Amino acid sequence: MSNATVLVADDDAAIRTVLNQALSRAGYDVRVTSNASTLWRWIAAGDGDIVITDVIMPDENAFDLLPRIKKARPDLPVLVMSAQNTFMTAIKASERGAYEYLPKPFDLTELVAIIGRALSEPKKVAADNSEDISEGMPLVGRSAAMQEIYRVLARLMQTDLTLMITGESGTGKELVARALHDYGKRRNGPFVAINMAAIPRDLIESELFGHEKGAFTGAQTRSSGRFEQAEGGTLFLDEIGDMPMDAQTRLLRVLQQGEYTTVGGRTAIRTNVRIVAATNKDLKTSINQGLFREDLYYRLNVVPLRLPPLRDRAEDIPDLVRHFSNAAEKEGLQVKRFEASALDRLKQFGWPGNVRELENFIRRLTALYPQDVITSEIVAAELNAESIQESDNSPSTSTGTVTIAQSVEDNMQRYFSQFDGDLPPPGLYHRVLEEVEYPLVLAALTATHGNQIKAAELLGLNRNTLRKKIRELGVSIYRSPRSA
């Protein structure tokens, strides 16, 4: 919109100057103020085509002002800025009817593009979603990666669009699904979760869709499925990549036609649930391998959301540590303070188990150490100082690749040194492979607490191949007490 007027409200003079200059260069008329009262006077007088406002101002919070703006001028786009870059800030902005939420510091090019988009869109009256919401913090982090997640979730709260969440194990996929439900329009309905990898494959259809009495051996009574239990709410399908083909076909029908039949049933049942799926697999690879239906993938992947591993947002670790420490205190454990150097060590670690591993680590420190202050030495002792140093030397060590290669190299040098310059017996290649396979398979089973499906995925093997290896190598299947 040519000659459009942008109203800017921010109590920071530097930000007002930067926005005035940037938006003026972009061809807009700009009016700036440091307070909410002046901004409201302009808006009430019918001035301005779009508003950019900070949340915290000397005389009024923008979240309190937004409902009045939307009531007086429902078609006026309002962009909210905030240095309080939390999930709840993004959600509140959406709930109060803001067009967009921008965390500080923001990108000027992106801001100009958003203004252009807002001014070019057809005017529409925003729904009144101004009811108060909890101050809880279901998601924690202020990194750029988390800010983008907050913004996507805020846009999805009042929709029923199907969401596909991807990311490594432990990144918080179910937590994101719960946040989407708890702060969305289905918040008064049930949230039902099902993990495909945790249910025997021949029972998944019954678990999802329910079964009739006599549908199969052992079906003594009718049983409701997760779709029926989630009616009116949200159904979270975790580890969707482990769903068998027959169940995939039935799920596709639900997504296409909005109805299903129970196992053994004949009458179609209409369903009203929001589907959120999650996986730590590459589903496109599974499609190429014939393990996942391509048409189902596109039905589920309406809105893709990738959760970053913790190593890619290490700047969030201090906030997460405080969050988990406070949670431990509420459970009756002693509150702890972490030295800055201890937090630095935590930030240097690769965290292969991601946020879940960090949470368990903080709980362990809180429970086991009587000190009020957690020092760098305590953290180093628990994490293994050598692995922290290695991860500090190279970004790639967070995946373990360099560490394994270096370990093999060191051991081979020691092996060759035994022969005082002579060559070892022939057949070294196969001998080394045989010796490495056993601890490798055992380590994978240990890491996954005896779950052969997850161990096979970790190793990049077919599950039948892994079972064959277990038998051939005589590996005792590890089962952790935690999985009992």
Side-chain angles (χ1 to χ4, degrees):
M1 179 188 296
S2 59
N3 298 322
T5 298
V6 182
L7 306 181
V8 176
D10 197 302
D11 62 348
D12 189 323
I15 290 180
R16 293 199 303 273
T17 300
V18 168
L19 289 177
N20 193 1
Q21 293 174 349
L23 298 178
S24 295
R25 285 196 301 268
Y28 297 109
D29 293 328
V30 185
R31 297 171 68 177
V32 300
T33 180
S34 62
N35 56 77
S37 58
T38 301
L39 175 63
W40 172 244
R41 189 170 67 251
W42 291 341
I43 292 170
D47 298 337
D49 300 293
I50 189 169
V51 173
I52 304 175
T53 178
D54 191 17
V55 171
I56 305 298
M57 286 183 285
D59 52 345
E60 189 172 9
N61 187 297
F63 289 146
D64 296 329
L65 181 60
L66 262 169
R68 299 209 311 273
I69 296 175
K70 303 315 294 181
K71 184 175 181 180
R73 296 178 60 184
D75 61 347
L76 180 66
V78 180
L79 278 60
V80 172
M81 305 180 297
S82 178
Q84 297 180 332
N85 303 333
T86 68
F87 172 68
M88 296 310 301
T89 307
I91 297 306
K92 279 189 174 182
S94 176
E95 292 276 345
R96 301 303 195 271
Y99 177 84
E100 183 63 276
Y101 157 71
L102 289 171
K104 292 181 179 179
F106 50 83
D107 182 270
L108 282 173
T109 302
E110 180 185 14
L111 175 61
V112 172
I114 291 172
I115 291 173
R117 186 172 70 245
L119 292 173
S120 63
E121 287 182 356
K123 301 298 183 183
K124 57 183 178 180
V125 176
D128 181 11
N129 298 314
S130 60
E131 67 173 284
D132 194 19
I133 57 179
S134 168
E135 286 293 337
M137 290 292 291
L139 301 174
V140 177
R142 309 183 197 191
S143 62
M146 290 304 294
Q147 292 304 313
E148 184 56 32
I149 289 171
Y150 299 160
R151 292 169 65 182
V152 171
L153 291 178
R155 297 187 193 108
L156 294 175
M157 290 299 170
Q158 302 307 317
T159 76
D160 277 331
L161 294 175
T162 303
L163 180 67
M164 172 71 82
I165 308 172
T166 59
E168 298 177 6
S169 294
T171 49
K173 295 186 284 293
E174 183 170 350
L175 199 61
V176 169
R178 282 188 177 276
L180 185 64
H181 171 82
D182 291 344
Y183 297 93
K185 68 178 187 178
R186 290 181 177 265
R187 68 188 73 171
N188 294 323
F191 177 89
V192 177
I194 179 172
N195 188 318
M196 299 299 164
I199 299 174
R201 297 172 70 84
D202 56 345
L203 295 180
I204 284 181
E205 289 185 59
S206 175
E207 285 287 332
L208 280 174
F209 306 109
H211 63 258
E212 301 298 324
K213 179 180 178 180
F216 50 84
T217 302
Q220 302 295 327
T221 61
R222 183 187 186 278
S223 177
S224 63
R226 303 301 174 92
F227 268 94
E228 183 176 339
Q229 296 164 14
E231 184 66 18
T234 302
L235 178 59
F236 176 56
L237 304 176
D238 199 8
E239 304 296 356
I240 190 72
D242 289 308
M243 177 180 275
M245 272 293 183
D246 289 346
Q248 289 181 35
T249 301
R250 295 183 68 135
L251 177 60
L252 180 63
R253 179 185 176 186
V254 177
L255 295 173
Q256 289 176 331
Q257 302 178 13
E259 61 183 30
Y260 65 93
T261 55
T262 59
V263 176
R266 297 183 178 180
T267 304
I269 302 171
R270 297 294 299 175
T271 183
N272 173 29
V273 299
R274 182 185 197 163
I275 301 293
V276 179
T279 182
N280 58 13
K281 291 185 175 181
D282 182 351
L283 290 185
K284 290 189 176 180
T285 299
S286 297
I287 291 170
N288 293 334
Q289 295 173 342
L291 300 176
F292 201 84
R293 293 186 60 129
E294 186 174 19
D295 46 4
L296 177 59
Y297 170 78
Y298 288 114
R299 284 281 183 175
L300 292 171
N301 200 46
V302 176
V303 180
L305 182 64
R306 178 186 175 275
L307 300 188
L310 186 55
R311 62 182 175 271
D312 288 349
R313 60 181 188 104
E315 63 266 42
D316 289 333
I317 286 178
D319 284 340
L320 287 165
V321 168
R322 283 189 289 272
H323 176 74
F324 294 139
S325 296
N326 291 337
E329 182 186 7
K330 292 177 181 178
E331 295 174 358
L333 297 173
Q334 184 182 359
V335 63
K336 304 290 184 181
R337 182 174 65 83
F338 283 71
E339 287 184 343
S341 57
L343 292 174
D344 287 340
R345 280 194 178 272
L346 292 174
K347 289 165 68 175
Q348 292 166 8
F349 190 63
W351 299 109
N354 293 295
V355 178
R356 184 185 298 126
E357 182 183 5
L358 175 64
E359 178 181 12
N360 292 335
F361 182 81
I362 298 304
R363 291 167 67 89
R364 183 165 76 248
L365 290 184
T366 304
L368 296 182
Y369 286 86
Q371 297 93 324
D372 293 335
V373 178
I374 300 297
T375 65
S376 175
E377 288 73 21
I378 291 175
V379 170
E382 289 290 329
L383 286 179
N384 185 322
E386 181 178 354
S387 66
I388 295 177
Q389 182 62 44
E390 287 172 346
S391 67
D392 189 47
N393 290 337
S394 170
S396 63
T397 59
S398 60
T399 63
T401 304
V402 175
T403 302
I404 294 172
Q406 187 62 54
S407 177
V408 171
E409 182 180 344
D410 292 344
N411 279 282
M412 292 312 300
Q413 288 178 355
R414 285 194 292 270
Y415 177 75
F416 274 90
S417 68
Q418 302 177 55
F419 299 95
D420 296 324
D422 295 331
L423 293 177
L428 178 62
Y429 179 81
H430 293 289
R431 195 159 60 250
V432 170
L433 287 184
E434 289 173 359
E435 292 188 15
V436 167
E437 264 192 318
Y438 181 92
L440 180 61
V441 171
L442 179 60
L445 288 168
T446 301
T448 58
H449 312 307
N451 187 317
Q452 293 185 38
I453 295 176
K454 290 185 177 295
E457 181 182 337
L458 178 63
L459 293 168
L461 298 176
N462 178 278
R463 186 167 63 162
N464 292 331
T465 301
L466 176 61
R467 286 176 173 172
K468 182 180 178 182
K469 293 285 184 187
I470 291 172
R471 290 194 301 270
E472 291 176 348
L473 297 169
V475 179
S476 298
I477 299 178
Y478 174 88
R479 294 201 180 275
S480 166
R482 287 178 292 173
S483 62

